[in-house]
């Protein structure tokens, strides 16, 4: 790669700052540095960061003193020019900074940052210390330096900074910044025969001596020969053997091995190894496609000749995944990489097994349930840095962050369940939609995109109907299995006639018992975790709320606590009302935890499991719950929307949607679209193999438009009905939305700032501005908040109007009357 002897470098730092930072390139680095390389720099007087070189030039910056780059971490660029262009597109479109994209795109292990270490400088003159200061000094006396984070943990104090500042002023402690490297390579020791003992005579003499004087060392050496095959056929080169394997096989100790090392008979070599699982290569072939699938497969390939994006609209259990597998095989034959995007981590458990059965070690997995070290190794793997025992990935199976991986020869992106809102990143920035970003990424790399779903998003479907995307349909289930029968249960009427068992209608209870008797499985869906959404005092009506957010606290029975699902604030479950002292506290509503309790009472012999954010916080727990259900070790699976997306179970006959009204009555212009999609997806888990399944939908509004269209299985009709309203009220897919959220701890300042921003925006954008209005949750993390919605036409002026919005926001943020104001810009906020 050609190098430039440039004197200055513009750097991307992992910070929410709009500009690049310019640093001086030391003379000794000028011949080696290039765009995309990582460097260590100091920002301010103390903090170190890992920067990415964006540009090299000889133009000194004006207005500030230039600091030198401290060190260059590699001479081969970590980030390609194409990746940086993609980062800049994401930052520009989603109204954030490139530094925020960098922070999200690169695993933490590749971003060295400084950490403040606290040292005890000595207690001079025994100054008067507060109890809190004395406690910190006692902790520091037992250490040779400790991070502020560790000091807070050991002291049990949430904020140690005021006490630390006091100790610094008294000269008792000092601070030091040290670089902290998060990623550490995994290593393994290998034992190898020294080259000098490759000579047969020398080796025989050594074995004779060892057998007389050190028989255990001789046994260990003979075991090494057996493991390497040297005992039967001497090798031309020494063959290394894993140290743990050798010691375990020989039953020897490390002391015995050390004696052989000291005699220079063998040596121990430390080798970096991969953390990534090495899957045994199989010779399995993809299952043969049926006639409908073959037609769809060929149609997709034909569409790709003239279009970059194709929508595969295939109903649940129509065999979309097998079509994906044949497409992957097609692109691998062309030596191309494939990105397979999924909306939920939980789905990777099943899909990875199907892909590895066919493609073995070529499949890599990338998501947040993997350790950061594993994600670093996947990142390096795609850059061609392959460690010992590491597979070489051609297919990446991942969630939304996978779009930022360093693909060099991308041929196909599959976006499975493309309608899912979990492809949208909500917090923190960048607030991108991975589906839309993947389409842009594919365009930059000359790749094709397949969007697959049973219930397309309105945007994708409209693009397909208008000819912008290709459209391929699979409208029959695999092997012509019937769609599940649907039974609508009017729970309002059932309660009136006293035919409800807590939250279960009589027909649902009867059918669950019949299904259990037939040794078949049941899925129960309730899209709310916890035991109860809130508790209420029946005497005074008080409902406990979060101290940081304007939301009620959710009751979790297992932990016997009330929890805020936004900020994490918790309190013990009160035994009496703090206002009136009454003991009449009642739970209201129900979540998955309560459903689990009630099911165990109604069906005591059933094996029950629950899949939600509370029960599946780790990758292993996810996999265990899904695998147990797949292996029929669980009869009834209760869950949130985690269970709705693409999971394939052979023996599920009944699906129960326990409270459809929760979805239908949500205050969001997409609530009907989301409800139809979610009901369809959950229902699609029933009767996927063999006999027809049944879906029970419990609702107090059986005549609702969503339910009626679902009963007719008329997604196109439902979409047309909704699009008429969307167009009339200027909502997507006909308009783009930008949501501006202002936050401040002072309610009055927030109100004034919001009015001021709305007035500024209306000067240029007029009636496109809606608000300011209070959102559904008016206070979050102790900050009051107000929102302004901007509705923009889908035309060529979108980029210019984004700049108008950004300038107006910057104008308000720099106003001295609104100090402490925070703003969040969210483009396509409800996508």
């Amino acid at each position: 790669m050609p190098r430039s002897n440039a004197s200055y470098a513009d750097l991307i730092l992992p910070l929410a700052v709009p500009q690049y930072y310019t640093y001086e390139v030391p003379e000794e680095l000028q011949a080696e540095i290039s765009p995309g390389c990582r460097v260590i720099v100091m920002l301010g007087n103390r903090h170190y960061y890992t920067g990415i070189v964006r540009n090299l030039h000889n133009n000194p910056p004006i207005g500030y003193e230039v600091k030198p780059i401290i060190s260059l971490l590699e001479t081969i660029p970590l980030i390609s020019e194409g990746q940086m262009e993609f980062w800049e597109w994401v930052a520009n479109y989603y109204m954030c900074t490139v530094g925020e994209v960098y922070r999200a795109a690169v695993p933490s292990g590749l971003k060295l940052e400084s950490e403040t270490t606290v040292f005890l400088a000595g207690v001079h003159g025994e100054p008067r210390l507060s109890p809190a200061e004395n406690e910190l000094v006692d902790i520091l006396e037992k250490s040779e330096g400790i991070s502020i984070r560790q000091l807070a943990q050991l002291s049990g104090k949430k904020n140690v900074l005021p006490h630390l500042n006091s100790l610094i002023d008294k000269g008792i402690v000092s601070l030091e910044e040290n670089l902290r490297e998060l990623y550490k390579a995994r290593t393994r020791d290998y034992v190898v025969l020294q080259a000098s003992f490759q000579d047969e005579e020398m080796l025989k003499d050594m074995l004779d001596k060892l057998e007389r004087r050190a028989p255990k060392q001789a046994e260990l050496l003979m075991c090494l020969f057996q493991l390497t095959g040297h005992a039967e056929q001497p090798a031309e080169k020494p063959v290394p053997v894993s140290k743990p394997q050798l010691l375990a096989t020989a039953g020897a100790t490390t002391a015995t091995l050390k004696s052989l090392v000291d005699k220079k008979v063998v040596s121990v070599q430390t080798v970096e190894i991969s953390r990534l699982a090495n899957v045994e290569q199989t010779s399995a072939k993809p299952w043969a496609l049926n006639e409908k699938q073959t037609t769809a497969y060929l149609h997709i390939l034909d569409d790709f000749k003239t279009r970059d994006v194709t929508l595969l609209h295939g109903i649940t259990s129509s065999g979309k995944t097998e079509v994906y597998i044949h497409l992957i095989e097609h692109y691998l034959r062309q030596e191309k990489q494939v990105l397979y995007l999924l909306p939920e981590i939980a789905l990777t458990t099943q899909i990875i097994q199907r892909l590895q059965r066919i493609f073995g070690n070529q499949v890599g997995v990338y998501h947040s349930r993997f350790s950061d070290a594993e994600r670093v190794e996947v990142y390096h793997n795609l850059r061609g840095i392959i460690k010992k025992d590491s597979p070489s990935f051609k297919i990446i199976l991942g969630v939304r962050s996978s779009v930022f991986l360093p693909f060099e020869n991308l041929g196909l992106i599959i976006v499975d369940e493309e309608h899912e809102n979990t492809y949208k990143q909500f917090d923190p920035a960048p607030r991108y939609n991975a589906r839309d970003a993947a389409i842009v990424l594919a365009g930059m790399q000359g790749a094709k995109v397949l969007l697959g779903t049973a219930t397309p998003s309105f945007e994708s479907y409209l693009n397909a109907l208008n000819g912008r995307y290709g459209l391929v349909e699979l409208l029959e289930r695999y092997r012509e299995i019937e769609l599940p029968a649907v039974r609508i249960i009017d729970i309002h009427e059932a309660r009136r006639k006293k035919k409800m068992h807590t939250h279960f209608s009589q027909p649902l209870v009867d059918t669950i018992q019949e299904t259990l008797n037939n040794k078949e499985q049941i899925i129960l869906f309730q899209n709310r975790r916890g035991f109860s959404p809130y508790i209420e005092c029946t005497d005074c009506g008080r409902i406990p709320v979060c101290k940081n957010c304007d939301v009620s606290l959710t009751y979790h029975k297992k932990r016997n606590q009330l929890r805020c699902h936004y900020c994490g604030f918790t309190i013990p479950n009160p035994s009496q009302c703090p206002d009136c002292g009454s003991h009449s506290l009642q739970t209201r509503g129900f979540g998955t935890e309560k459903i689990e309790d009630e099911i165990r009472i109604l069906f005591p012999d059933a094996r029950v499991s629950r899949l939600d954010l509370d029960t599946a916080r780790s990758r292993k727990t996810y996999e265990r719950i899904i695998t147990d259900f797949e292996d029929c070790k669980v009869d009834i699976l209760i869950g949130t929307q985690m269970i709705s997306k693409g999971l394939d179970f052979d023996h599920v006959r009944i699906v129960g949607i326990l409270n459809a009204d929760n979805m239908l009555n949500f205050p969001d212009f997409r609530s009907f679209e989301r409800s139809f999609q979610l009901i369809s997806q959950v229902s699609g888990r029933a009767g996927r193999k063999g006999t027809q399944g049944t879906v029970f939908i419990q609702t107090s509004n059986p005549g609702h438009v969503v339910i009626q269209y679902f009963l007719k299985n008329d997604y196109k009709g439902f979409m047309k009905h909704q699009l008429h309203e969307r167009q009339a009220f200027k909502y997507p897919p006909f308009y783009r939305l930008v949501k501006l959220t202002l936050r401040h701890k002072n309610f009055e300042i927030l109100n004034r700032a919001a009015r001021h921003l709305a007035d500024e925006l209306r000067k240029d954008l007029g009636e496109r501005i809606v608000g300011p209005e209070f959102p559904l949750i008016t206070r979050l993390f102790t900050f009051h908040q107000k929102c302004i919605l901007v509705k923009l036409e889908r035309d060529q002026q979108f980029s210019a109007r984004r700049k108008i919005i950004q300038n107006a926001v910057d104008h308000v943020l720099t106003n001295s009357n609104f100090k402490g104001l925070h703003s969040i810009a969210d483009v396509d906020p409800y996508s």
Side-chain angles (χ1 to χ4, degrees):
M1 180 178 293
R3 306 292 181 179
S4 172
N5 293 327
S7 301
Y8 300 97
D10 295 333
L11 304 184
I12 305 169
L13 297 183
L15 302 169
V17 290
Q19 75 276 10
Y20 297 131
Y21 282 93
T22 301
Y23 282 80
E24 183 182 0
V25 181
E27 189 174 345
E28 64 271 18
L29 299 181
Q30 289 180 6
E32 297 181 322
I33 196 168
S34 63
C37 289
R38 291 182 303 156
V39 295
I40 298 296
V41 294
M42 179 180 280
L43 185 64
N45 296 322
R46 182 175 293 174
H47 292 288
Y48 296 93
Y49 288 97
T50 302
I52 302 289
V53 179
R54 183 63 185 100
N55 303 305
L56 293 167
H57 55 84
N58 290 302
N59 304 315
I62 300 171
Y64 62 90
E65 183 181 352
V66 185
K67 292 183 178 181
I69 290 172
I70 295 171
S71 65
L72 178 65
L73 291 178
E74 71 257 304
T75 56
I76 299 174
L78 178 80
I79 309 298
S80 68
E81 177 65 24
Q83 280 178 275
M84 287 192 283
E85 288 177 0
F86 180 58
W87 288 8
E88 287 166 347
W89 177 86
V90 171
N92 179 52
Y93 184 84
Y94 290 103
M95 296 180 67
C96 62
T97 67
V98 179
E100 289 171 307
V101 180
Y102 166 30
R103 197 161 56 196
V106 176
S108 297
L110 295 174
K111 300 191 290 282
L112 282 71
E113 293 185 10
S114 61
E115 184 171 67
T116 303
T117 305
V118 186
F119 293 91
L120 193 64
V123 181
H124 302 289
E126 297 186 0
R128 184 177 298 171
L129 301 180
S130 69
E133 291 169 354
N134 267 316
E135 185 182 353
L136 296 184
V137 169
D138 289 342
I139 294 170
L140 290 169
E141 283 179 340
K142 299 173 185 175
S143 68
E144 297 180 358
I146 189 171
S147 71
I148 293 177
R149 175 176 48 83
Q150 291 170 321
L151 190 60
Q153 289 174 345
L154 291 173
S155 66
K157 292 178 171 54
K158 290 185 177 180
N159 188 5
V160 298
L161 291 179
H163 310 300
L164 269 182
N165 287 333
S166 176
L167 291 171
I168 292 169
D169 292 340
K170 294 171 183 176
I172 295 172
V173 302
S174 61
L175 304 181
E176 184 177 303
E177 288 291 314
N178 294 293
L179 274 174
R180 181 167 55 109
E181 187 166 6
L182 298 176
Y183 172 72
K184 291 183 180 179
R186 175 176 287 181
T187 60
R188 181 177 295 159
D189 289 339
Y190 286 84
V191 181
V192 63
L193 186 69
Q194 288 279 34
S196 57
F197 284 95
Q198 290 293 101
D199 181 80
E200 289 293 316
E201 290 299 321
M202 289 186 67
L203 187 58
K204 186 175 182 301
D205 290 343
M206 176 55 70
L207 275 171
D208 289 341
K209 291 178 184 178
L210 291 176
E211 285 172 351
R212 292 193 306 270
R213 300 177 184 176
K216 289 186 177 180
Q217 294 176 31
E219 288 177 18
L220 182 60
L221 192 56
M222 284 303 299
C223 185
L224 177 65
F225 296 157
Q226 289 167 358
L227 289 173
T228 60
H230 190 98
E232 291 140 18
Q233 181 65 46
E236 294 183 6
K237 292 183 179 180
V239 179
V241 173
S242 164
K243 177 181 170 181
Q245 180 189 9
L246 176 62
L247 294 179
T249 306
T253 65
T254 53
T256 304
L257 177 61
K258 185 176 182 301
S259 298
L260 287 176
V261 173
D262 292 341
K263 291 182 174 78
K264 298 185 178 179
V265 178
V266 299
S267 63
V268 176
Q269 302 172 351
T270 301
V271 178
E272 285 191 16
I273 62 170
S274 174
R275 290 177 169 84
L276 306 175
N278 214 322
V279 180
E280 184 178 347
Q281 185 70 46
T282 66
S283 57
K285 297 293 182 184
W287 292 324
L289 300 178
N290 64 20
E291 183 182 351
K292 299 289 184 184
Q293 290 171 318
T294 301
T295 301
Y297 169 74
L298 295 174
H299 192 170
I300 291 166
L301 290 178
D302 192 54
D303 271 357
F304 280 165
K305 294 175 183 178
T306 56
R307 294 183 180 90
D308 294 329
V309 184
T310 292
L311 172 66
L312 174 59
H313 177 204
I315 62 171
T316 55
S317 196
S318 59
K320 295 186 294 295
T321 304
E322 206 58 39
V323 175
Y324 300 158
I325 289 172
H326 280 257
L327 284 167
I328 291 170
E329 189 179 48
H330 173 82
Y331 278 89
L332 291 185
R333 286 198 298 266
Q334 299 179 34
E335 301 295 323
K336 296 286 188 179
Q337 295 171 317
V338 176
L339 171 59
Y340 191 139
L341 284 175
L342 291 166
E344 284 280 358
I345 293 169
L347 291 185
T348 61
T349 303
Q350 281 196 333
I351 299 297
I352 190 66
Q353 294 171 355
R354 293 183 67 174
L355 293 184
Q356 286 178 340
R357 181 181 66 87
I358 309 298
F359 304 111
N361 272 336
Q362 297 182 89
V363 183
V365 184
Y366 189 86
H367 56 63
S368 60
R369 297 289 181 188
F370 273 53
S371 70
D372 192 69
E374 288 174 306
R375 280 179 281 159
V376 168
E377 293 194 11
V378 172
Y379 199 96
H380 281 324
N381 189 289
L382 286 173
R383 295 176 62 225
I385 301 173
I386 310 296
K387 295 186 177 182
K388 184 179 178 63
D389 299 327
S390 175
S392 178
F393 298 142
K394 299 292 187 295
I395 307 159
I396 290 294
L397 183 69
V399 291
R400 59 177 178 254
S401 58
S402 304
V403 297
F404 294 115
L405 286 170
F407 297 101
E408 295 181 353
N409 190 25
L410 192 60
L412 175 67
I413 300 177
I414 296 168
V415 185
D416 198 13
E417 311 295 352
E418 66 84 25
H419 65 278
E420 285 290 348
N421 65 338
T422 44
Y423 280 122
K424 170 71 175 178
Q425 165 81 9
F426 291 102
D427 277 309
R431 295 172 178 83
Y432 66 102
N433 186 304
R435 176 200 62 203
D436 301 338
I439 292 172
V440 173
L441 174 66
M444 290 179 170
Q445 297 222 2
K448 303 296 182 180
V449 179
L450 180 67
L451 308 176
T453 178
T455 51
S457 64
F458 286 180
E459 284 83 354
S460 296
Y461 212 170
L462 196 60
N463 279 329
L465 295 177
N466 292 339
R468 185 178 176 188
Y469 297 169
L471 176 61
V472 179
E473 294 184 311
L474 264 175
L475 301 181
E476 290 182 13
R477 279 189 154 191
Y478 187 66
R479 294 179 180 171
E480 298 182 352
I481 295 170
E482 290 184 89
L483 285 167
V486 181
R487 293 189 63 180
I488 307 298
I489 307 297
D490 186 341
I491 55 177
H492 178 76
E493 185 68 13
R495 284 198 180 97
R496 189 181 68 81
K497 294 181 178 179
K498 302 188 184 306
K499 291 186 177 180
M500 290 289 290
H501 298 265
T502 61
H503 301 292
F504 304 92
S505 60
Q506 186 65 52
L508 179 56
V509 171
D510 293 342
T511 310
I512 289 175
Q513 186 61 66
E514 181 185 335
T515 305
L516 292 172
N517 294 340
N518 293 334
K519 307 296 183 185
E520 295 175 319
Q521 292 174 300
I522 301 102
I523 287 177
L524 297 176
F525 171 76
Q526 168 63 6
N527 203 23
R528 178 169 279 161
R529 63 189 173 101
F531 188 85
S532 173
Y534 62 95
I535 62 172
E536 181 182 19
C537 175
T538 57
D539 288 343
C540 70
R542 185 185 188 275
I543 297 171
V545 296
C546 177
K547 71 173 186 178
N548 303 316
C549 315
D550 284 340
V551 294
S552 59
L553 295 173
T554 301
Y555 173 47
H556 289 255
K557 183 179 179 182
K558 188 174 183 180
R559 298 179 181 176
N560 195 32
Q561 64 179 202
L562 303 181
R563 172 179 290 271
C564 174
H565 285 176
Y566 290 88
C567 71
F569 171 74
T570 61
I571 59 171
N573 183 35
S575 58
Q576 63 185 59
C577 176
D579 282 359
C580 70
S582 170
H583 292 273
S584 299
L585 300 176
Q586 293 290 324
T587 60
R588 302 298 188 194
F590 61 99
T592 51
E593 192 178 4
K594 190 171 187 178
I595 294 301
E596 182 182 14
D597 268 15
E598 293 176 350
I599 280 291
R600 291 186 187 278
I601 293 169
L602 288 170
F603 306 100
D605 296 329
R607 298 168 297 175
V608 182
S609 187
R610 174 161 55 94
L611 181 63
D612 57 27
L613 197 58
D614 297 317
T615 62
R617 291 190 175 274
S618 71
R619 179 177 37 140
K620 289 184 179 178
T621 314
Y622 265 117
E623 292 173 357
R624 179 182 56 77
I625 293 171
I626 291 170
T627 302
D628 283 353
F629 193 65
E630 193 172 23
D631 294 341
C632 295
K633 296 177 182 177
V634 172
D635 300 314
I636 303 174
L637 180 63
I638 300 158
T640 58
Q641 61 180 339
M642 287 183 182
I643 63 175
S644 71
K645 301 165 184 177
L647 294 171
D648 189 6
F649 301 115
D650 291 353
H651 305 287
V652 175
R653 291 293 165 261
I654 300 299
V655 167
I657 298 173
L658 301 180
N659 188 0
D661 300 335
N662 274 352
M663 302 177 284
L664 298 171
N665 298 326
F666 195 77
D668 179 353
F669 76 91
R670 283 195 193 271
S671 64
F672 287 6
E673 178 187 359
R674 299 279 191 231
S675 298
F676 192 105
Q677 291 166 342
L678 200 48
I679 291 171
S680 299
Q681 293 291 336
V682 176
S683 302
R685 302 314 106 205
R688 296 175 71 89
K689 303 287 192 303
T691 59
Q692 184 184 28
T694 304
V695 178
F696 287 82
I697 300 177
Q698 297 189 161
T699 174
S700 57
N701 187 6
H704 196 285
V705 62
V706 171
I707 293 175
Q708 291 305 307
Y709 272 108
F710 174 74
L711 284 172
K712 294 185 287 187
N713 192 30
D714 185 7
Y715 187 72
K716 288 183 181 178
F718 170 70
M719 187 186 76
K720 289 178 181 178
H721 174 273
Q722 288 293 292
L723 287 181
H724 179 73
E725 292 185 4
R726 297 274 188 94
Q727 191 164 28
F729 291 100
K730 298 182 179 179
Y731 279 108
F734 303 102
Y735 280 72
R736 283 192 173 99
L737 301 182
V738 179
K739 181 182 177 184
L740 303 174
T741 303
L742 296 181
R743 292 177 177 173
H744 202 285
K745 293 197 172 184
N746 185 294
F747 185 78
E748 293 302 325
I749 293 176
L750 173 68
N751 274 333
R752 292 199 305 271
R755 285 196 300 269
H756 186 75
L757 177 57
D759 291 342
E760 285 294 311
L761 290 168
R762 285 193 175 96
K763 290 178 183 177
D764 292 300
L765 299 176
E767 294 182 356
R768 298 180 182 89
I769 308 303
V770 179
E773 301 286 350
F774 287 108
L776 191 63
I777 300 171
T778 58
R779 190 169 65 101
L780 206 59
F781 298 100
T782 73
F783 284 86
H784 302 281
Q785 52 184 17
K786 259 192 163 178
C787 296
I788 297 170
L789 195 63
V790 186
K791 298 181 178 181
L792 300 174
E793 297 87 346
R794 288 184 174 270
D795 55 27
Q796 300 300 317
Q797 298 184 52
F798 181 57
S799 180
R801 287 169 181 150
R802 279 202 314 267
K803 290 180 181 178
I804 291 171
I805 295 169
Q806 189 63 62
N807 289 339
V809 170
D810 292 342
H811 174 75
V812 172
L813 291 177
T814 54
N815 189 318
S816 59
N817 295 320
F818 306 135
K819 286 183 179 179
L821 183 70
H822 298 268
S823 77
I824 295 172
D826 193 356
V827 179
D828 303 333
Y830 306 103
S831 59

